[in-house]
């Protein structure tokens, strides 16, 4: 066998081994685990982490839907603490925790405020009358909330 032919043989063998790795015997049955219903239209577009209603570490995750929902989840156990419908919002593009611990959510064109003390959500209304969507949010040290908007960036 020529040197060039041997190199080609090694190259093809390497390609075959990489392309078709051994994954186990075909006669061994695999296990099937039911994971539940597939979600294909729900997305979590924003989440923030802070103190929950009982002082525990919590994740505040906003899931899209009709309406969008603010989910308060215990970070340590993974259990849902509470869920709050964001009436008037189909998605939540941004969330921020202010210095006082309250959570603000950008839900479609509206701004929502969640209070961990009372475990309630308040719709503060349309953030900017000429804008259709409120995006990411930020808070300064004084608790003022800032956000980006669409379509005019006000």
């Amino acid at each position: 066998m020529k040197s060039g032919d041997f190199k080609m043989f090694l190259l093809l063998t390497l390609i075959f081994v990489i392309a078709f790795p051994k994954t186990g015997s075909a006669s061994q049955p695999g296990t099937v685990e039911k994971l539940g219903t597939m979600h294909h239209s729900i997305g979590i577009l924003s989440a923030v982490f802070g103190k929950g209603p009982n002082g525990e570490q919590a994740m505040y995750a906003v899931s899209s839907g009709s309406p969008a929902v603010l989910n308060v989840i215990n970070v340590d156990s993974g259990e849902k603490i509470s869920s709050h419908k964001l009436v008037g919002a189909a998605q939540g593009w941004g969330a921020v925790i202010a210095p006082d611990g309250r959570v603000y959510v950008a839900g479609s064109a509206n701004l929502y405020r969640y209070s961990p003390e009372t475990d309630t959500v308040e719709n503060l209304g349309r953030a900017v009358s000429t804008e259709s969507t409120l995006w990411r949010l930020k808070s300064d040290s004084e608790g003022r909330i800032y956000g980006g908007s669409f379509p005019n960036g006000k």
Side-chain angles (χ1 to χ4, degrees), residues 13-128:
T13 303
L14 180 62
I15 290 171
F16 182 82
V17 169
I18 292 171
F20 303 103
K22 184 177 178 183
T23 58
S25 173
S27 64
Q28 295 177 343
T31 57
V32 176
E33 179 181 351
K34 184 174 181 176
L35 300 176
T37 304
M38 176 182 73
H39 294 286
H40 54 82
S41 64
I42 296 175
I44 295 177
L45 305 174
S46 62
V48 291
F49 298 84
K51 294 239 181 218
N54 302 312
E56 71 277 63
Q57 287 298 307
M59 175 175 64
Y60 299 95
V62 184
S63 57
S64 61
S66 188
V69 176
L70 172 63
N71 299 285
V72 184
I73 300 167
N74 183 308
V75 173
D76 295 323
S77 68
E79 293 179 22
K80 179 176 69 173
I81 298 168
S82 62
S83 290
H84 305 274
K85 291 180 180 180
L86 303 178
V87 177
Q91 67 280 112
W93 290 105
V96 67
I97 300 176
D100 65 2
R102 293 187 291 181
V103 179
Y104 289 83
V105 175
S108 296
N110 299 323
L111 183 64
Y112 298 84
R113 179 173 54 210
Y114 170 79
S115 170
E117 289 181 5
T118 61
D119 195 31
T120 59
V121 170
E122 179 183 3
N123 184 345
L124 301 176
R126 194 175 187 106
V128 181

